[in-house]
Amino acid sequence: MISYKQKKSAIITVLLSIFFCIFYHHSAYSQNEPALKLVDRLEQLKDVYNVDFTYNHTLLAPVVLPPNFKCDNLIHCINAIKEIAPVKFVENGTNSFMIIPVRQNVTFTVVDSETEEFVSNVLFG
């Protein structure tokens, strides 16, 4: 049979474990860098490398780069952005690039909300 002292010790251990898990989660979250919008990163690159970018701000404004996005030079930055975002860079003169969104196929699964069955034939116009 478990004694009162063992129960108390087990409860304290569980409560301390929960506290440390919550504390660690919040401290790890607060140390993360905020995500950076692609358009803000392009402005930084423009200033650092004296280059011009031409793009549709409305289309690119919602694109966010991951918080750990890092690059060493302009070419490395352009290549890294192309890997993350659906865009291509076209040289448009000396130190000038046009950024064009690349249309990608999107796949998803449609589920009937009442029957929770997969809907196989969906047409979009």
Side-chain angles (χ1 to χ4, degrees):
M1 180 161 223
I2 300 175
S3 71
Y4 174 75
K5 189 174 183 180
Q6 289 173 327
K7 286 181 185 178
K8 185 178 174 182
S9 176
I11 290 172
I12 290 173
T13 302
V14 168
L15 291 175
L16 284 174
S17 297
I18 292 170
F19 171 78
F20 285 116
C21 287
I22 292 170
F23 176 77
Y24 176 75
H25 173 73
H26 285 294
S27 66
Y29 183 76
S30 65
Q31 292 176 359
N32 288 342
E33 297 176 32
L36 184 64
K37 288 186 172 187
L38 173 59
V39 292
D40 294 336
R41 184 63 170 144
L42 292 172
E43 288 300 315
Q44 290 175 349
L45 295 174
K46 182 178 178 179
D47 294 339
V48 171
Y49 297 107
N50 194 28
V51 64
D52 287 319
F53 295 108
T54 304
Y55 55 90
N56 184 325
H57 191 275
T58 305
L59 289 176
L60 295 185
V63 178
V64 178
L65 299 174
N68 61 350
F69 182 83
K70 303 263 188 272
C71 54
D72 302 7
N73 59 50
L74 180 62
I75 300 303
H76 180 246
C77 289
I78 288 173
N79 289 333
I81 290 169
K82 288 191 308 189
E83 287 180 21
I84 295 169
V87 296
K88 67 179 178 178
F89 289 75
V90 177
E91 282 194 63
N92 192 28
T94 306
N95 292 338
S96 180
F97 294 90
M98 212 167 38
I99 304 172
I100 303 169
V102 175
R103 188 173 192 176
Q104 294 181 331
N105 292 338
V106 177
T107 53
F108 58 91
T109 305
V110 178
V111 179
D112 187 307
S113 64
E114 292 176 6
T115 63
E116 295 186 6
E117 293 179 359
F118 292 105
V119 178
S120 60
N121 296 325
V122 179
L123 299 175
F124 294 96

